[in-house]
Amino acid sequence: MKNSENMWRNLGDHWQRLAARPMAALFDENPARFAQFSLSLTPGGTDALLGLDYSKTALDAAARAALLDLARACDLDQGRKDLFGGQAINRTEHRAVLHMALRGTSDDFYARHDDPATNLMPMILAERGRFLAFAENVIHGRHCGATGKKIRHVINIGIGGSDLGPQMAVRALAAYHQPGAPAIHFVSNVDPAHWMDAVRGVDPNESLVIIASKTFTTSETMTNARAARAWLSAAVGEKNISNHLVALSTNIPLAQKFGVAEKNIFGFWDWVGGRYSLWSSIGLSLALAIGADNFLQFLAGARAMDRHFHDAEFGENLPVLLGLIGVWHRNLCGYTSRAVIPYSERLARLPAYLQQLDMESNGKSVGLDGVAVTRPTGPVVWGEPGTNAQHAFFQLLHQGRDIIPVEFILPLNARGDASLSAAQLQEQQNLLIANCLAQSEALATGESHASDPARDFAGNRPSVTILLRRLDPFHLGMLIALYEYRVFVEGKIWGINSFDQFGVELGKKLAMRILPALTHANAAISPVSQGLVRAIAAMRGVK
Ligand code: F6P
């Protein structure tokens, strides 16, 4: 890290040099700019599977080289070795970070520990085998409700990492849902409306409730789980509940105590962070939708990214470059947020998923050494699918005062179905692609209307575009793993622990302190909340 201050200074000079340079000029001066500032992943020499275009940023070759120097000075290489080597890099919680082993195979590179006691793969494969077999049994009607009815509805109760990943992926892979697979519903919010709306019209006799919680203590999840158990019990009888109740957790004793049958508990481990747990049994709802083979493809796609991140030189490494571009925008250009815009309706929940992945990981102010960091860390991440977003907030992206770098995500080769002719499918897909490209071009080049400033587009607004060959399980796995490693790269450069989340604790604690005051007028309460508690009591008609 010693040299890194020089690297930061050097990068500052590059930004001074490049800030005012029109992006269009970069393309005019260098016809090979796209080729030189884009990268694709082609495992085994196949055609491109995933491409990253970062030609529409202010970076030139010298600035990129300086960013790569920064990565080296920040010991990214050692960080990568420590990650895959299972070192306890989550220092505050004294844990390794090995969620990538969840997508491994028995001979994978991180499975080759000499000591069988530290080889994680046998237990990972055994648990994976159990939950995938369970998913297949449900899909094919071998696991039924207590009255023998086929399971037609699955309600996944969980929040944060126990909700956002599976929910995003179930929607993303709608084209791969299996015939006979149940409909998947997600309940996360403790707002009772979420539960009520999810199960309206759903027959408990045909339902499977999944309680997904790494800790099995999360207040929202346990509250909804109790509501679900009462709902099931009223319909099928308490003693028949076990066919309808599943738990996904690292806390097996608490799941058993709650009344989930041992055979219906699928575990994972404390070296899997909640926001990185989609690859574990937390992915059961996804497996119930797309089936075991597709789930394995999803893991295989992520594994292709694991290998790439592990093996590739920094200059050819997709997560490294995406992370460095993030650092460039955050720390050199000073941009405080980034928009993620998937040109795919099925990726509508990707921005929400990435918000947790990125902001819970890198929204930190204290370094690994326990000292306050001196530079900005994780930006605000937000977004919505295009083209809808164009008709909502793109005005601000093009003409607002703040510059917000955009990450366009563009899957190609959509799968059709009987509701659309092949020609119509192609026409709509082309329109989608043209819109995506048009937006990044407009942001980059702008358009001058000197006579009418209200119509002027300043341009020089950066974006990257990520191409996916198609939105299928394999490519989705790759994309998600790309973002996981990007978060890791940025966290390493900022010198923070990307794997704890103490920032969520204070609010949880205060909620439990305020709760009694909502029912007992004399409960002790901070003066900061007193006024609102009284106003609420008055509005609810409580004396
Ligand atoms: O409060 C934040 C958090 O701990 C997340 O990190 C996690 O994904 C979520 O709560 C849910 O936790 P659990 O899976 O233990 O219920």
Side-chain angles (χ1 to χ4, degrees):
M1 298 291 275
K2 265 185 270 111
N3 293 330
S4 68
E5 283 310 317
N6 292 339
M7 305 296 164
W8 283 113
R9 267 193 296 279
N10 187 19
L11 277 162
D13 294 343
H14 283 294
W15 173 234
Q16 290 300 318
R17 180 174 63 76
L18 292 165
R21 199 149 158 208
M23 232 177 252
L26 296 173
F27 283 88
D28 291 342
E29 287 160 18
N30 179 7
R33 182 161 174 86
F34 175 78
Q36 291 169 5
F37 292 85
S38 65
L39 193 64
S40 54
L41 182 49
T42 55
T46 55
D47 292 339
L49 297 176
L50 185 148
L52 169 68
D53 167 25
Y54 60 102
S55 60
K56 297 186 202 88
T57 63
L59 288 173
D60 66 1
R64 178 177 57 193
L67 280 170
L68 292 166
D69 285 344
L70 176 71
R72 289 182 202 106
C74 292
D75 286 336
L76 181 59
D77 194 34
Q78 187 57 43
R80 187 170 57 171
K81 288 190 181 114
D82 291 345
L83 171 76
F84 285 104
Q87 304 299 317
I89 60 168
N90 177 356
R91 286 199 211 158
T92 51
E93 297 180 310
H94 315 289
R95 286 176 187 163
V97 174
L98 280 167
H99 54 270
M100 47 302 169
L102 295 167
R103 49 228 189 192
T105 57
S106 53
D107 61 349
D108 247 322
F109 53 100
Y110 36 71
R112 286 190 209 119
H113 293 274
D114 294 337
D115 175 5
T118 61
N119 185 347
L120 304 172
M121 290 318 296
M123 72 182 182
I124 291 173
L125 294 176
E127 206 58 11
R128 187 195 295 164
R130 281 186 68 227
F131 81 78
L132 291 184
F134 180 82
E136 286 291 310
N137 285 340
V138 171
I139 292 172
H140 297 290
R142 295 188 291 265
H143 176 108
C144 293
T147 54
K149 286 192 169 175
K150 188 167 190 315
I151 299 292
R152 300 192 189 284
H153 297 275
V154 168
I155 301 134
N156 186 88
I157 297 178
I159 198 164
S162 300
D163 165 66
L164 290 163
Q167 194 185 151
M168 172 274 296
V170 164
R171 183 157 178 182
L173 298 176
Y176 294 83
H177 288 195
Q178 293 300 290
I184 317 285
H185 313 269
F186 290 90
V187 176
S188 51
N189 203 326
V190 77
D191 179 347
H194 205 178
W195 164 261
M196 292 187 290
D197 291 352
V199 298
R200 187 171 304 124
V202 170
D203 178 358
N205 290 291
E206 300 179 341
S207 298
L208 183 74
V209 170
I210 298 177
I211 308 167
S213 175
K214 178 178 169 182
T215 55
F216 228 75
T217 57
T218 303
S219 146
E220 294 92 329
T221 299
M222 298 325 298
T223 307
N224 277 319
R226 283 190 291 275
R229 198 177 52 190
W231 177 75
L232 286 174
S233 171
V236 304
E238 184 67 25
K239 65 179 187 329
N240 295 322
I241 221 170
S242 79
N243 279 31
H244 298 267
L245 204 55
V246 165
L248 317 173
S249 187
T250 58
N251 196 336
I252 313 292
L254 276 190
Q256 282 175 317
K257 200 166 158 214
F258 187 83
V260 184
E262 204 177 335
K263 66 175 175 27
N264 289 354
I265 302 176
F266 302 101
F268 57 110
W269 302 274
D270 69 359
W271 38 263
V272 183
R275 53 194 176 273
Y276 300 88
S277 62
L278 173 57
W279 324 97
S280 72
S281 60
I282 289 290
L284 176 63
S285 52
L286 174 62
L288 281 159
I290 64 174
D293 288 347
N294 280 323
F295 193 87
L296 292 172
Q297 278 301 305
F298 177 60
L299 299 186
R303 197 161 68 245
M305 188 57 73
D306 294 334
R307 287 193 177 282
H308 168 74
F309 178 61
H310 182 269
D311 296 345
E313 294 292 323
F314 286 174
E316 303 290 317
N317 195 309
L318 285 156
V320 171
L321 284 168
L322 193 58
L324 291 174
I325 291 162
V327 167
W328 170 256
H329 286 154
R330 183 73 187 98
N331 298 104
L332 284 311
C333 313
Y335 306 145
T336 56
S337 87
R338 60 176 164 239
V340 179
I341 312 293
Y343 271 70
S344 160
E345 194 54 31
R346 288 185 176 140
L347 286 176
R349 293 297 290 167
L350 183 70
Y353 169 79
L354 292 180
Q355 280 179 326
Q356 188 199 14
L357 180 66
D358 204 314
M359 293 163 78
E360 203 174 68
S361 297
N362 285 343
K364 311 278 165 68
S365 308
V366 173
L368 280 164
D369 51 7
V371 176
V373 292
T374 53
R375 290 192 173 78
T377 55
V380 176
V381 178
W382 58 284
E384 278 287 318
T387 57
N388 297 10
Q390 293 173 199
H391 299 270
F393 53 77
F394 268 52
Q395 164 66 40
L396 186 146
L397 296 185
H398 288 290
Q399 289 189 315
R401 297 253 330 168
D402 291 319
I403 294 185
I404 298 171
V406 180
E407 295 180 4
F408 293 101
I409 297 173
L410 181 57
L412 309 167
N413 302 323
R415 241 192 188 187
D417 71 17
S419 68
L420 217 57
S421 70
Q424 179 76 15
L425 179 78
Q426 180 81 356
E427 184 190 328
Q428 292 193 209
Q429 187 68 16
N430 286 348
L431 204 48
L432 191 65
I433 294 171
N435 269 282
C436 181
L437 269 53
Q439 292 300 326
S440 64
E441 184 180 323
L443 286 166
T445 59
E447 192 174 70
S448 178
H449 282 270
S451 59
D452 185 356
R455 290 172 204 273
D456 201 61
F457 290 79
N460 250 6
R461 297 184 176 219
S463 68
V464 300
T465 301
I466 296 173
L467 299 179
L468 286 191
R469 188 193 274 177
R470 67 174 60 84
L471 185 55
D472 65 5
F474 187 88
H475 291 84
L476 182 68
M478 270 188 147
L479 178 72
I480 300 307
L482 167 67
Y483 271 100
E484 285 181 348
Y485 288 124
R486 180 281 183 96
V487 165
F488 172 79
V489 168
E490 291 183 340
K492 185 72 192 153
I493 289 179
W494 289 324
I496 54 178
N497 179 1
S498 301
F499 301 101
D500 61 14
Q501 58 282 319
F502 294 113
V504 301
E505 295 304 329
L506 179 59
K508 288 184 191 174
K509 192 167 74 184
L510 293 183
M512 290 307 120
R513 240 181 247 170
I514 290 169
L515 189 60
L518 299 181
T519 41
H520 297 99
N522 296 329
I525 184 142
S526 155
V528 175
S529 291
Q530 226 164 50
L532 272 178
V533 166
R534 288 196 186 128
I536 288 163
M539 279 192 197
R540 291 168 116 191
V542 177
K543 293 278 176 305

